[in-house]
Amino acid sequence: MRTQSSRLIECVKIIFLCIIACVVYGILHDQITVRLCPAYFTEWHFHAEVFQHPNLNVVGLFWGIVATWWVGLILGVPIAIVSTYGAVEWWTWRRSVKPLVLLIISLWITAAIGYWTSILLSFRADSEALGYFPETDQDLLRFSSVLVAHNFSYVAGAIGGLLIAWWIHCQRRKLVVIQSRQGV
């Protein structure tokens, strides 16, 4: 029999899994984008003055963690709730791995599409609105493309997270129907 404490433990595992997935994605994403436009992280990024380091690996690692752990928390809570509510069989953290891996793959694709579309369309963000004034037009193009890639990742992650929660909810509802037909 499942207890409230075992439900809480399963929820914590799911939330932790989501945090780890987001942080791993964030670190890998930022290891690439910090090389495409270091200024995005070192000059413009929210609270860039808080963390300055000459090594781009360290910068990508730091911002990869700081910018994504909270996304994993926000993603994990609804997934944990829909995974464990009610009397039907729980959707365990192990079953959540595959949908999260698929989400990460889709985020890579989405970020790449955003980045390359920005490059191909020569999209340049409004320097004045952003408060970022690069030395060259090419620097602004790289900065803008990295900005688009990051924003695409956040938006796709939010949509993907909601879709995962909805999909888990639907899978568990199917279990209810199957169990009721079997008289369980």
Side-chain angles (χ1 to χ4, degrees):
M1 179 169 184
R2 300 203 182 227
T3 64
Q4 279 299 100
S5 64
S6 63
R7 178 179 188 231
L8 179 62
I9 291 169
E10 193 61 37
C11 285
V12 168
K13 289 176 185 178
I14 292 168
I15 293 168
F16 186 70
L17 174 67
C18 290
I19 291 171
I20 294 298
C22 287
V23 167
V24 167
Y25 173 78
I27 290 170
L28 295 173
H29 185 265
D30 286 356
Q31 288 301 321
I32 294 169
T33 55
V34 75
R35 283 158 179 78
L36 296 172
C37 183
Y40 176 85
F41 298 91
T42 60
E43 295 174 32
W44 180 80
H45 205 281
F46 178 68
H47 293 306
E49 70 281 355
V50 171
F51 184 78
Q52 292 291 318
H53 199 280
N55 186 325
L56 293 181
N57 291 323
V58 175
V59 173
L61 178 68
F62 176 80
W63 286 113
I65 295 168
V66 170
T68 57
W69 73 267
W70 58 273
V71 177
L73 178 64
I74 293 170
L75 175 71
V77 170
I79 290 174
I81 290 169
V82 301
S83 295
T84 60
Y85 75 91
V88 70
E89 179 184 345
W90 291 349
W91 191 271
T92 65
W93 71 271
R94 285 182 180 89
R95 293 175 88 178
S96 299
V97 171
K98 186 176 179 179
L100 286 172
V101 168
L102 293 173
L103 175 61
I104 288 173
I105 291 168
S106 69
L107 294 180
W108 276 108
I109 293 167
T110 304
I113 289 170
Y115 179 82
W116 287 110
T117 301
S118 295
I119 293 289
L120 293 172
L121 296 177
S122 298
F123 170 73
R124 287 164 181 79
D126 183 351
S127 289
E128 204 153 312
L130 294 171
Y132 172 69
F133 304 98
E135 293 180 19
T136 69
D137 193 48
Q138 191 63 28
D139 290 340
L140 180 59
L141 177 61
R142 278 194 303 274
F143 172 86
S144 300
S145 298
V146 165
L147 177 65
V148 168
H150 280 263
N151 286 327
F152 270 43
S153 287
Y154 280 117
V155 171
I159 293 168
L162 291 173
L163 289 174
I164 288 173
W166 178 252
W167 181 77
I168 290 170
H169 168 76
C170 291
Q171 295 302 307
R172 292 189 72 225
R173 285 188 69 200
K174 286 180 187 176
L175 287 173
V176 170
V177 171
I178 291 168
Q179 287 177 357
S180 67
R181 287 181 183 161
Q182 294 173 346
V184 176

